[in-house]
Amino acid sequence: MNRAAGTVLVTTDYRDDEADAVLTAAGLRVRRRNGHDLVEALRGVTGAIVAHDPLTAGVLARAPALRAVVRSGVGYDAVDVDAAARLGIQVSNLPGINSNAVAEYTVGLLLAAARRLVESATGVSTGDWPRESGQELRGATLGLVGFGPAARAVAPLATAFGMTVLCATNHPAGSTVEFVDLPTLLRESDYVSLHTALTPGNHHLIDAAALALMKPTAILVNTARGALVDEEALATAVATGRLAGAALDVVATEPLPPASPLRGVDGITVYSHLAGQTAQARHATALAAAHELLAALRGEPRFPVNHPKEKQ
């Protein structure tokens, strides 16, 4: 393998020594982001493995040495891929790398919502002894919005619980799930789980009109991107009893702002963006990101999401 040269910035909030060893064996120095100045962190950097850092056109323009960026996950909406292409920067992602972790977590959120586990534990911690009955997943209908690797991994788990699975997607593929349009999915599902990428065309995909189609007893689950949901509309729908509740692993602004409309709404539980965060998924992601970065620096990316011009 040809040895690379330069410095790699890694912004993930965990360290993987094996992945670091892959990069250093290739001749690269590994730098961790310290503090909050992204521009300063990127100074002199050849490649970057990033979490959800906002790599805007302005930030990228101030990183003239940067040749390749790897998003350590699936979504890359925080990276201006068009600006990167104009600047000669290759951007890659890691499709499906944490799909098993996300799928298991999604089912965990379904169970927690159905059996009101958070409410029960919270009640006990405050001195109460809640005994409210929950719901079984068996016999319920799960609607998957999107059918990428994570959603495809959720489907058999839900089926094993005895759920009927519907899916709304622009890219249906052979499966045991039933493919329907989004309005049908919203009307018929007891649980709606979001698994689609955030694009300019689906910002606030779940808005007041979409929520109005859902059953009053339905639960919304989001492990994809916060901006897919109109949070004001969701808070109103749950607070007024139009919707039973929501389990959100992602929100539009993270961490959740003190003034968020989602705060204090009985029935809405917000988690801290943990769907893909298992020890196994983190290790696999770190290794895959290291190998993808080396491939991109060689001009041979395996998972490119843009087509940059030649770096000047």
Side-chain angles (χ1 to χ4, degrees):
M1 179 177 65
N2 295 333
R3 286 177 64 81
T7 300
V8 174
L9 174 68
V10 180
T11 73
T12 56
D13 60 358
Y14 57 91
R15 184 183 185 114
D16 189 287
D17 291 340
E18 188 175 348
D20 285 359
V22 168
L23 296 169
T24 56
L28 293 164
R29 296 181 298 276
V30 177
R31 174 192 299 172
R32 287 272 177 324
R33 181 179 176 184
N34 294 317
H36 302 289
D37 189 339
L38 184 57
V39 171
E40 181 61 30
L42 286 166
R43 189 181 302 278
V45 164
T46 303
I49 297 172
V50 301
H52 301 285
D53 308 84
L55 294 183
T56 63
V59 169
L60 293 171
R62 297 175 67 183
L66 190 60
R67 293 170 47 206
V69 171
V70 176
R71 167 68 183 94
S72 62
V74 181
Y76 50 90
D77 45 280
V79 182
D80 190 329
V81 294
D82 293 331
R86 291 193 299 271
L87 293 166
I89 302 168
Q90 177 69 65
V91 181
S92 299
N93 71 339
L94 301 175
I97 193 67
N98 57 10
S99 58
N100 184 70
V102 173
E104 290 185 1
Y105 188 88
T106 299
V107 174
L109 295 187
L110 295 177
L111 287 167
R115 301 302 297 270
R116 297 183 61 82
L117 299 183
V118 173
E119 293 85 349
S120 174
T122 300
V124 171
S125 70
T126 58
D128 294 327
W129 194 252
R131 297 285 294 161
E132 184 178 347
S133 61
Q135 299 290 329
E136 296 181 14
L137 296 183
R138 181 171 297 278
T141 297
L142 171 64
L144 302 174
V145 180
F147 204 53
R152 291 197 295 271
V154 168
L157 299 180
T159 301
F161 274 94
M163 303 183 81
T164 298
V165 182
L166 306 178
C167 180
T169 178
N170 292 327
H171 306 286
S175 174
T176 56
V177 309
E178 180 183 353
F179 294 99
V180 297
D181 59 31
L182 182 59
T184 299
L185 181 144
L186 294 173
R187 284 193 297 266
E188 296 186 4
S189 297
D190 299 295
Y191 302 87
V192 173
S193 186
L194 306 183
H195 297 276
T196 188
L198 177 64
T199 67
N202 65 13
H203 181 266
H204 284 184
L205 175 70
I206 305 300
D207 57 10
L211 293 165
L213 294 176
M214 295 175 65
K215 298 177 180 179
T217 54
I219 300 289
L220 177 69
V221 174
N222 189 6
T223 58
R225 283 293 181 267
L228 292 169
V229 177
D230 181 335
E231 293 176 351
E232 290 275 2
L234 175 62
T236 298
V238 176
T240 60
R242 179 62 197 79
L243 192 71
L248 308 174
D249 189 50
V250 289
V251 289
T253 300
E254 299 179 0
L256 187 68
S260 170
L262 301 172
R263 287 192 180 275
V265 180
D266 185 29
I268 296 180
T269 304
V270 179
Y271 300 85
S272 53
H273 204 152
L274 293 173
Q277 302 304 308
T278 63
Q280 296 90 334
R282 282 184 164 186
H283 179 59
T285 297
L287 276 179
H291 287 294
E292 177 63 16
L293 183 64
L294 294 179
L297 290 173
R298 294 194 305 267
E300 302 169 348
R302 295 166 296 175
F303 307 111
V305 298
N306 71 345
H307 301 284
K309 70 176 187 178
E310 186 175 349
K311 187 79 171 179
Q312 299 299 313

